[in-house]
């Protein structure tokens, strides 16, 4: 079991990065021969990526369910992600071709992905009594104190003094987004 961070921490990463979510959905549970090869492809790709730290993958988390399976990946850049995805010598490109052929034959399995380009400083995180997960694996963990105490503080919108906790009650100041000028 991964060790818990019992301290309240936040994760930060230098520069821009990419969040890539890729998953599959089992539409016909009893057709194991249709979905098992698809689900088995992802671990070998992740092993291949972890074996070469220069490829741009920073970290990943995998979530398996009954019908829905997902890998959330953190990449240094979209260019790194794209280069791996289209590399004919890597595991993804042939798997993508095979999977696309399967998708045309039947609807027993569905696949999807989403790509988010995240600019430096335009995200915030907090973890407490949890092991490193998500950006906490990819970035540097720091105590969530002072400016890093609140979500608005971690975004650089306040000095971290915009929320107070009084027993069971939470009070907060109105915070204006520096980008939009609107209250959040």
């Amino acid at each position: 079991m991964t060790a818990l961070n019992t301290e309240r921490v936040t994760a930060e990463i230098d520069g821009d990065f990419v969040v890539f979510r890729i998953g599959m959905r089992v539409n016909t549970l009893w057709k194991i021969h249709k979905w098992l090869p698809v689900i088995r492809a992802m671990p070998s790709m992740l092993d291949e990526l972890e074996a070469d730290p220069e490829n741009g993958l920073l970290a990943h988390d995998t979530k398996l369910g009954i019908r829905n399976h997902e890998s959330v990946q953190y990449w240094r850049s979209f260019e790194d992600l794209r280069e791996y995805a289209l590399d004919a010598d890597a595991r993804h490109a042939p798997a993508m071709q095979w999977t696309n052929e399967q998708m045309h034959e039947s609807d027993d399995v569905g696949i999807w992905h989403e790509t988010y380009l995240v600019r430096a400083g335009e995200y915030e995180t907090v973890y407490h009594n949890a092991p490193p997960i998500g950006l906490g694996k990819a970035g540097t963990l720091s105590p969530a104190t002072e400016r890093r105490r609140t979500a608005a503080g971690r975004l650089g919108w306040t000095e971290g003094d915009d929320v107070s906790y009084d027993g069971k009650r939470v009070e907060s100041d109105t915070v204006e987004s520096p980008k939009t000028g609107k209250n959040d």
Side-chain angles (χ1 to χ4, degrees), residues 40-41 43-49 84-85 87-97:
R40 290 180 67 196
S44 63
M45 287 181 234
L46 292 171
D47 288 345
E48 177 179 58
L49 287 162
Y84 175 74
D87 183 350
D89 295 326
R91 294 182 184 213
H92 180 267
M96 179 175 60
Q97 181 177 350

Side-chain angles (χ1 to χ4, degrees), residues 72-135:
V72 179
Q73 302 171 8
Y74 298 83
W75 288 79
R76 170 55 50 209
S77 69
F78 178 74
E79 293 77 16
D80 288 338
L81 170 61
R82 186 173 187 277
E83 184 177 322
Y84 175 74
L86 300 176
D87 183 350
D89 295 326
R91 294 182 184 213
H92 180 267
M96 179 175 60
Q97 181 177 350
W98 179 85
T99 303
N100 284 334
E101 291 168 5
Q102 300 308 305
M103 298 299 112
H104 290 296
E105 289 179 17
S106 78
D107 61 359
D108 296 319
V109 177
I111 57 170
W112 57 270
H113 80 254
E114 300 174 349
T115 307
Y116 303 94
L117 309 180
V118 183
R119 289 189 208 123
E122 293 190 2
Y123 63 92
E124 68 84 25
T125 67
V126 72
Y127 312 90
H128 195 170
N129 288 342
I133 188 167
L135 200 58

Side-chain angles (χ1 to χ4, degrees), residues 30-180:
W30 59 89
K31 292 191 179 178
I32 296 169
H33 65 286
K34 295 285 191 173
W35 56 261
L36 187 59
V38 179
I39 197 172
R40 290 180 67 196
M42 185 56 73
S44 63
M45 287 181 234
L46 292 171
D47 288 345
E48 177 179 58
L49 287 162
E50 288 177 334
D52 178 14
E54 297 300 314
N55 60 31
L57 179 70
L58 301 173
H60 67 87
D61 287 312
T62 300
K63 303 191 179 19
L64 302 176
I66 293 175
R67 286 190 183 271
N68 297 296
H69 312 286
E70 175 183 7
S71 175
V72 179
Q73 302 171 8
Y74 298 83
W75 288 79
R76 170 55 50 209
S77 69
F78 178 74
E79 293 77 16
D80 288 338
L81 170 61
R82 186 173 187 277
E83 184 177 322
Y84 175 74
L86 300 176
D87 183 350
D89 295 326
R91 294 182 184 213
H92 180 267
M96 179 175 60
Q97 181 177 350
W98 179 85
T99 303
N100 284 334
E101 291 168 5
Q102 300 308 305
M103 298 299 112
H104 290 296
E105 289 179 17
S106 78
D107 61 359
D108 296 319
V109 177
I111 57 170
W112 57 270
H113 80 254
E114 300 174 349
T115 307
Y116 303 94
L117 309 180
V118 183
R119 289 189 208 123
E122 293 190 2
Y123 63 92
E124 68 84 25
T125 67
V126 72
Y127 312 90
H128 195 170
N129 288 342
I133 188 167
L135 200 58
K137 286 182 177 178
T140 303
L141 296 176
S142 303
T145 57
E146 299 175 7
R147 182 190 60 80
R148 295 180 179 111
R149 192 175 74 77
T150 68
R154 290 186 291 275
L155 286 169
W157 297 6
T158 71
E159 293 300 314
D161 56 358
D162 54 290
V163 176
S164 61
Y165 307 96
D166 179 22
K168 294 183 179 182
R169 204 173 81 197
V170 176
E171 292 184 16
S172 63
D173 297 337
T174 301
V175 175
E176 188 174 290
S177 166
K179 298 215 180 260
T180 64

